Amino acid sequence: MPSIARHSSGNGRIVENICSILRQLGWSPAAEAALGNLDCSMDAYQANQVLKQLQDHTVAHGFFYWLKRKPGFKHDGHTYTTMVGILGQAKQFTAINKLLDQMVRDGCQPNVVTYNRLIHSYGRANYLNEAVDVFDQMQKDGCEPDRVTYCTLIDIHAKAGYLDFAMDMYERMQGAGLAPDTFTYSVMINCLGKAGHLASADKLFYEMVEHGCTPNLVTYNIMIALQAKARNYESALKLYRDLQSAGFEPDKVTYSIVMEALGHLGYLDEAEAVFSEMKQRNWVPDEPVYGLLVDLWGKSGNVEKAWGWYQAMLQTGLRPNVPTCNSLLSAFLRVHRLGDAYSLLESMLGLGLIPSSQTYTLLLSCCTEARSPYDMGFCCDLMATTGHPAHLFLLSMPSAGADGQNVRDHVGKFLDMMRSEDRESKRGLVDAVVDFLHKSGLKEEAGLVWEVAAQKNVYPDAVREKSSCYWLINLHVMSDGTAVTALSRTLAWFRREMMMSGVGPSRIDIVTGWGRRSRVTGASMVRQAVQELLHMFSFPFFTVNGNTGCFVGCGEPLNKWLLQSYVERMHLL
DNA sequence: GTAGGGTTAG
């Protein structure tokens, strides 16, 4: 047996021993004692092997500094860089900066990998300025950015909505003599597609092959997901076949995306077939993929099937997560099976699952649409059972005073509390609240909630100046009660602006998303409610290009109409 | 003699 093999297996055992100690004991005096008893010498290579396996940053941090104090041990660039990555994932930026100082004092210069991990960490935490500062700093320190540097900067900026900056970085990368590789193309295709530039994403997908870069499985997955999200399900399925013709085996991600696409096309049985195929190819279905089937069947109105998949999931020993419970809950509520909804909510709480704002949103919408006082009371009980802060917020909503400031303050405090929720959930919840207040006759309060939410950027796309004095009011993601409230308050805002500045809008397009090209079904309630409101107040509108979902007001008639004092009170009707 | 970084879903 050559000595190298014995030596390396010895290395492996030390690494394995340390990892199992740290897994069992975490970072603790007991772990420190156990490590001391090992009485082995270790080099930076082995230390790095251990660090890479530690996911808990407190354990990694403890181990790293224990090594640093150990006589005869010296960290190197690799261990420092790995540690930067671990702390970065945990967003421990104070600890990272301390570590970087020590790294330099220890005689280890950060290299391009260190900087890249730093940029990635800042990007993931949404600190884009800091990420760009690192990019500038590394160049001052004489470190050339590589493909990974540019790719990371492109990705984080595009994800944060700064597509222009991302494209700029793509140009700069090529200017620096770095040709895009398959990885870069995949990132760019994803960025462009997610930003709504599907044609450009498509173009790049075909272009990459011409430049000698073969799409890999991830590239295909990205393409399939983009087509599915744009509701081009047939294109998505074609890419799925192309992927297999190209010799790739679908992975878990592929299966999940394809199942969702099939489900949204209404091919539920086919989605189930893909699920079976996934299992046949030895992928172990996880909770979210069961959740997807629960959701698809629930949305199609087949509660029994949804419930069946939920049970099947429990039988494999998986613990449900909150979104899956929400899917089943939504299915029960849709067919007014409030008793089953109640049992499900109880079992959620029993499992220690904390109802999310989506859970509360579902229940509140159900309450708004309740067909009888009994059902409404039942919904209220369910809402109280969730223990969600939105319930206390609604219960303690004051009646609007003369200037409405008391309601504004109440809403402001609530939204501040909800600030860490993602925008979609916040929008959904606010929408349900406004709809509920509006339909319960608390119209002044509904208007105030909408105004504060709009100020706090919960509806960033609702009101937009398309060009000078040409405005778009986009109501298509709202419920009808919210749409009517939002429109009334926005028109009142235009009136006040016009009276103050003397300049009125030259054109307003009111978009309800039920137009010629809209694929949104079931949104006609918004169009109908908006049309009725506009008719009632004689708003001078017309439609263009046969788009019946877009109401346009223009020029002199619009400005004259805005002068009417009733524009201020439209929302009360 | 050896190692470290970037992309996709829910």
Side-chain angles (χ1 to χ4, degrees):
Chain A
M1 200 64 172
S3 65
I4 289 171
R6 268 208 308 280
H7 180 59
S8 66
S9 77
N11 267 347
R13 201 151 42 238
I14 292 164
V15 170
E16 218 14 79
N17 282 341
I18 295 176
C19 285
S20 79
I21 288 172
L22 293 174
R23 257 196 303 274
Q24 280 168 36
L25 302 172
W27 188 251
S28 56
E32 213 168 328
L35 289 178
N37 287 337
L38 275 181
D39 192 35
C40 59
S41 68
M42 204 188 330
D43 58 19
Y45 176 80
Q46 294 164 316
N48 195 41
Q49 299 288 95
V50 174
L51 282 171
K52 280 194 300 180
Q53 292 184 54
L54 301 174
Q55 23 233 296
D56 185 332
H57 73 274
T58 58
V59 178
H61 193 260
F63 179 62
F64 185 91
Y65 281 99
W66 175 79
L67 285 169
K68 201 167 185 298
R69 290 191 302 269
K70 205 168 133 78
F73 182 89
K74 194 168 179 325
H75 281 297
D76 67 3
H78 287 113
T79 53
Y80 271 109
T81 299
T82 304
M83 198 60 220
V84 166
I86 296 170
L87 291 173
Q89 271 201 321
K91 303 181 184 166
Q92 303 294 309
F93 294 110
T94 315
I96 289 184
N97 285 321
K98 204 177 119 200
L99 189 71
L100 287 171
D101 282 345
Q102 291 170 339
M103 181 173 183
V104 175
R105 262 185 277 136
D106 229 358
C108 303
Q109 271 305 315
N111 66 7
V112 67
V113 180
T114 323
Y115 287 118
N116 288 346
R117 296 206 78 168
L118 207 51
I119 290 171
H120 187 230
S121 305
Y122 277 127
R124 285 279 299 272
N126 233 338
Y127 292 145
L128 297 192
N129 291 335
E130 285 78 355
V132 175
D133 285 346
V134 174
F135 176 68
D136 294 335
Q137 189 58 47
M138 70 189 278
Q139 294 173 86
K140 277 185 200 138
D141 293 345
C143 182
E144 271 304 302
D146 65 5
R147 241 188 228 102
V148 178
T149 319
Y150 285 105
C151 246
T152 308
L153 285 164
I154 290 169
D155 188 53
I156 62 181
H157 280 86
K159 283 206 175 94
Y162 300 105
L163 188 67
D164 289 348
F165 188 94
M167 297 304 286
D168 199 43
M169 278 287 147
Y170 184 55
E171 296 295 317
R172 276 179 76 168
M173 184 185 89
Q174 294 174 84
L178 298 165
D181 60 358
T182 294
F183 210 112
T184 317
Y185 276 116
S186 303
V187 170
M188 285 300 300
I189 289 169
N190 187 45
C191 291
L192 286 166
K194 291 277 162 66
H197 304 277
L198 199 56
S200 310
D202 252 347
K203 198 168 149 242
L204 218 48
F205 182 67
Y206 293 104
E207 223 174 78
M208 67 186 284
V209 184
E210 289 163 25
H211 289 125
C213 294
T214 319
N216 62 20
L217 182 59
V218 174
T219 322
Y220 275 105
N221 286 346
I222 289 169
M223 284 296 294
I224 296 172
L226 289 178
Q227 294 296 343
K229 207 172 174 210
R231 298 171 192 245
N232 303 326
Y233 299 115
E234 301 297 348
S235 311
L237 295 178
K238 183 181 177 303
L239 281 159
Y240 179 52
R241 292 190 295 270
D242 292 348
L243 168 161
Q244 294 176 84
S245 321
F248 290 105
E249 288 258 319
D251 69 358
K252 223 170 155 165
V253 179
T254 322
Y255 284 123
S256 181
I257 298 166
V258 169
M259 283 171 61
E260 189 173 354
L262 286 168
H264 288 160
L265 264 174
Y267 299 147
L268 281 275
D269 295 322
E270 286 80 353
E272 284 188 351
V274 171
F275 179 85
S276 306
E277 188 191 319
M278 179 178 97
K279 282 214 308 201
Q280 260 164 28
R281 299 222 198 159
N282 292 321
W283 294 99
V284 180
D286 58 6
E287 202 284 345
V289 88
Y290 278 103
L292 175 59
L293 285 166
V294 173
D295 194 64
L296 291 174
W297 282 112
K299 290 212 167 96
S300 80
N302 193 331
V303 192
E304 294 310 325
K305 272 283 199 176
W307 207 357
W309 279 107
Y310 182 82
Q311 304 284 3
M313 178 185 76
L314 295 182
Q315 272 155 27
T316 64
L318 287 167
R319 182 174 176 269
N321 66 18
V322 176
T324 302
C325 293
N326 288 342
S327 297
L328 187 57
L329 186 67
S330 166
F332 286 143
L333 295 176
R334 185 189 301 260
V335 292
H336 302 279
R337 279 168 62 165
L338 299 184
D340 289 322
Y342 187 76
S343 310
L344 179 63
L345 193 55
E346 290 277 84
S347 63
M348 271 178 85
L349 296 170
L351 288 165
L353 298 174
I354 299 164
S356 61
S357 41
Q358 285 92 333
T359 317
Y360 192 81
T361 303
L362 287 168
L363 294 170
L364 180 57
S365 309
C366 184
C367 183
T368 305
E369 278 146 33
R371 297 178 300 191
S372 67
Y374 175 80
D375 278 4
M376 187 178 265
F378 205 110
C379 280
C380 281
D381 286 347
L382 286 168
M383 282 150 63
T385 305
T386 62
H388 195 275
H391 198 58
L392 186 59
F393 160 71
L394 268 186
L395 289 179
S396 54
M397 172 76 73
S399 294
D403 60 355
Q405 198 51 45
N406 56 343
V407 174
R408 281 180 217 275
D409 291 343
H410 188 65
V411 179
K413 257 186 269 170
F414 176 65
L415 288 177
D416 284 344
M417 191 170 64
M418 304 294 289
R419 72 188 172 283
S420 61
E421 296 260 329
D422 65 276
R423 213 175 63 196
E424 280 293 292
S425 329
K426 240 188 307 199
R427 190 180 57 69
L429 180 55
V430 169
D431 185 274
V433 167
V434 175
D435 194 43
F436 171 79
L437 292 172
H438 176 83
K439 287 174 183 163
S440 309
L442 298 168
K443 311 218 170 193
E444 189 70 46
E445 288 78 4
L448 290 162
V449 173
W450 190 82
E451 276 179 44
V452 176
Q455 276 160 18
K456 298 224 176 224
N457 209 30
V458 175
Y459 288 97
D461 307 319
V463 185
R464 189 162 69 82
E465 192 169 15
K466 195 174 175 186
S467 56
S468 178
C469 297
Y470 176 7
W471 291 80
L472 284 185
I473 305 177
N474 193 344
L475 308 170
H476 89 273
V477 291
M478 301 178 190
S479 58
D480 53 339
T482 306
V484 163
T485 305
L487 177 57
S488 307
R489 297 320 292 154
T490 305
L491 291 171
W493 175 77
F494 277 125
R495 176 185 144 82
R496 286 193 297 270
E497 289 289 306
M498 192 176 80
M499 310 266 271
M500 263 191 322
S501 68
V503 185
S506 62
R507 171 168 168 165
I508 300 177
D509 286 9
I510 302 163
V511 182
T512 66
W514 192 240
R516 194 163 48 107
R517 312 189 60 162
S518 173
R519 291 192 182 88
V520 182
T521 52
S524 59
M525 297 253 289
V526 172
R527 193 193 70 84
Q528 202 181 324
V530 165
Q531 191 170 20
E532 277 169 22
L533 183 79
L534 295 178
H535 266 309
M536 208 167 327
F537 287 92
S538 316
F539 183 84
F541 71 82
F542 53 92
T543 58
V544 278
N545 297 335
N547 182 350
T548 57
C550 181
F551 305 101
V552 181
C554 231
E556 189 57 28
L558 172 65
N559 282 279
K560 260 168 101 176
W561 182 85
L562 281 172
L563 286 173
Q564 307 296 321
S565 63
Y566 56 67
V567 175
E568 271 300 340
R569 298 185 305 276
M570 274 171 80
H571 66 293
L572 298 177
L573 197 87

